[in-house]
Amino acid sequence: MSEIERYEEQPSHEIVRVDDELVTRRDLRDAATDSWTSVLAEVGELSGVIAQSDMVPKDIRGNVPATAARVLYGREVGLGPMNALTQLHNVEGRVGMSAEAMRALVLQHGHDIGIPESTSAKVTVTGRRKGSDIWSAVTWTLDDAKRAKLSGKFNWQAYPRQMLLARATAELCRMIFPDVIHGLAATEEFDDVMVVPGQAPVVEGGEASAVTPKKTVSRAKKKAAAAVEPPAPEAPKPPQNVSAAPAEPPAPEPPPAPEPRGGGAGSGEAAAPPPDPEPEPEVEVDEPAPDEDEPPAEPKATNPQVTSLVAKFNGLGVKDRAERLWIVQQIIGREVPSSKEMTKREASHVIDTLVPCESREDLENVLKAAEAHREQQSGGDEG
């Protein structure tokens, strides 16, 4: 052949029946952006099977649509279903990826990434694209964190090196590997703007903020009840019957009765003032609902949580029960007679706090950070 013809992929077509006639319909789906349509049914089926599993994060466990959405999102950035569930996170509608997953995807695409320096005061991350000789570097220091007003946050006090690494990783990946991470922020960057762990997380609006509305609603109910009570003057209707019965003026036996009749000719309007004290008992009768103001008691720590906590303590070499209890109390900020007396939320906070600890030194840093945070809070309260 003397000529080479350029091959262009032809759009796919499908034959469908319309009004008993077979017609050809062009498939307008784009392979680059609409490939999810070919796996949607399978993803939905998979999500229905695993949504209730312990392998699904608690924030979406049991939620089939949210599980499917995260799996589909992971598919777009190159993560398998189970990796997507653990490495992608949704914070108030913003999706983030862990810094660790970012580095993994960069390497998976054949690019280079390195960490030549990593300390609690300074971390440098370097990288270059596949086939390039140009290396780029991003450095984050504690001074950078202080200028950004991040260093006072719990995560930065407890894990400064890990947080510096996450910041440097995310900045480098957005700078030279945006096609790999698709512009996502690091989950650790979201943590910087979230409430301190265990202090009502922001993720769903915050448990702390959820308590305030409850009190507000209950107070509104009381005010509404008080506003509704004034119509209680209708209660004087019984006295009208009483005054209507003894029509004779000389009725000494019921002393209160003659007084209302002295002002008017036994009309209902004249009898209304005397019964003013009577509505009070009725208002008091409707008051017995102070328990509604009290938020429902939080569930206690579950057996799996306690078991997980014991296993973590054993891994860190903390065998003494009294020492374990003291550590728990330092983290949650209150005394408990037993780990089983923690609330479910407190137990999750303790577990999440201890998970990154790999040594006694890490544990001591966590406790110091917890103490510093309590002092900072107490100072703020006093102010």
Side-chain angles (χ1 to χ4, degrees):
M1 294 179 62
S2 58
E3 295 183 0
I4 299 178
E5 296 182 358
R6 180 179 178 182
Y7 172 78
E8 294 183 0
E9 183 179 357
Q10 299 298 316
S12 58
H13 297 75
E14 61 177 341
I15 299 176
V16 296
R17 181 178 293 277
V18 178
D19 296 333
D20 294 331
E21 294 184 7
L22 295 179
V23 297
T24 301
R25 185 173 66 184
R26 183 178 179 181
D27 188 354
L28 299 178
R29 289 179 295 183
D30 187 293
T33 59
D34 302 329
S35 62
W36 60 270
T37 58
S38 62
V39 297
L40 182 59
E42 290 79 359
V43 169
E45 182 179 356
L46 172 65
S47 301
V49 171
I50 66 176
Q52 297 289 351
S53 168
D54 291 341
M55 297 297 291
V56 176
K58 290 185 293 184
D59 62 322
I60 61 171
R61 188 174 302 161
N63 188 336
V64 176
T67 302
R70 191 168 295 188
V71 170
L72 286 172
Y73 208 119
R75 183 174 181 272
E76 290 190 7
V77 298
L79 294 175
M82 304 312 293
N83 267 332
L85 290 173
T86 57
Q87 300 299 330
L88 296 178
H89 305 276
N90 179 19
V91 179
E92 297 184 336
R94 296 180 62 195
V95 178
M97 179 191 300
S98 70
E100 181 181 6
M102 288 183 175
R103 295 192 296 272
L105 285 177
V106 167
L107 295 174
Q108 180 179 318
H109 281 72
H111 306 301
D112 294 319
I113 192 167
I115 308 171
E117 183 176 5
S118 178
T119 69
S120 295
K122 180 180 179 182
V123 170
T124 298
V125 178
T126 60
R128 67 174 178 178
R129 294 190 65 86
K130 181 180 180 181
S132 174
D133 294 329
I134 301 175
W135 284 84
S136 300
V138 171
T139 298
W140 261 76
T141 67
L142 276 184
D143 289 337
D144 295 327
K146 290 177 181 178
R147 280 192 294 271
K149 297 182 179 180
L150 301 173
S151 58
K153 298 181 180 294
F154 180 87
N155 286 344
W156 282 87
Q157 293 179 0
Y159 318 110
R161 179 173 56 81
Q162 291 90 331
M163 297 304 292
L164 289 172
L165 176 59
R167 282 278 173 167
T169 296
E171 185 173 337
L172 178 75
C173 289
R174 283 195 294 269
M175 184 170 65
I176 64 174
F177 307 121
D179 55 325
V180 176
I181 66 170
H182 295 262
L184 292 177
T187 306
E188 292 84 350
E189 292 177 298
F190 289 162
D191 291 341
D192 295 338
V193 296
M194 292 173 66
V195 178
V196 177
Q199 302 285 328
V202 160
V203 177
E204 279 80 41
E207 295 181 12
S209 59
V211 174
T212 304
K214 286 184 180 178
K215 293 185 178 179
T216 303
V217 170
S218 62
R219 287 173 186 161
K221 285 182 179 179
K222 292 180 73 176
K223 290 181 179 179
V228 172
E229 296 304 335
E234 295 180 0
K237 290 182 179 179
Q240 292 177 2
N241 297 334
V242 174
S243 60
E248 306 83 18
E253 295 181 0
E259 296 178 6
R261 276 197 298 274
S267 63
E269 291 78 1
D276 285 343
E278 293 185 7
E280 295 182 0
E282 296 187 7
V283 175
E284 296 297 332
V285 172
D286 292 338
E287 188 72 15
D291 293 338
E292 294 181 0
D293 290 346
E294 298 296 331
E298 293 191 47
K300 297 293 185 182
T302 63
N303 288 333
Q305 285 180 316
V306 175
T307 302
S308 175
L309 193 56
V310 171
K312 185 60 181 178
F313 275 132
N314 288 337
L316 293 173
V318 182
K319 306 290 186 180
D320 183 66
R321 180 180 180 277
E323 183 180 7
R324 292 177 177 177
L325 199 56
W326 179 82
I327 292 173
V328 167
Q329 293 171 355
Q330 295 304 304
I331 295 175
I332 66 176
R334 72 180 184 92
E335 294 185 3
V336 288
S338 167
S339 57
K340 293 183 178 180
E341 295 301 316
M342 288 187 293
T343 65
K344 187 176 181 180
R345 182 166 58 88
E346 288 174 334
S348 295
H349 171 43
V350 175
I351 294 171
D352 292 343
T353 302
L354 295 180
V355 162
C357 296
E358 298 179 355
S359 64
R360 281 274 189 168
E361 183 180 357
D362 292 339
L363 180 58
E364 291 175 2
N365 290 335
V366 167
L367 296 178
K368 289 178 182 177
E371 182 180 2
H373 177 66
R374 284 198 306 275
E375 292 177 353
Q376 183 178 2
Q377 278 193 324
S378 61
D381 295 340
E382 293 175 1

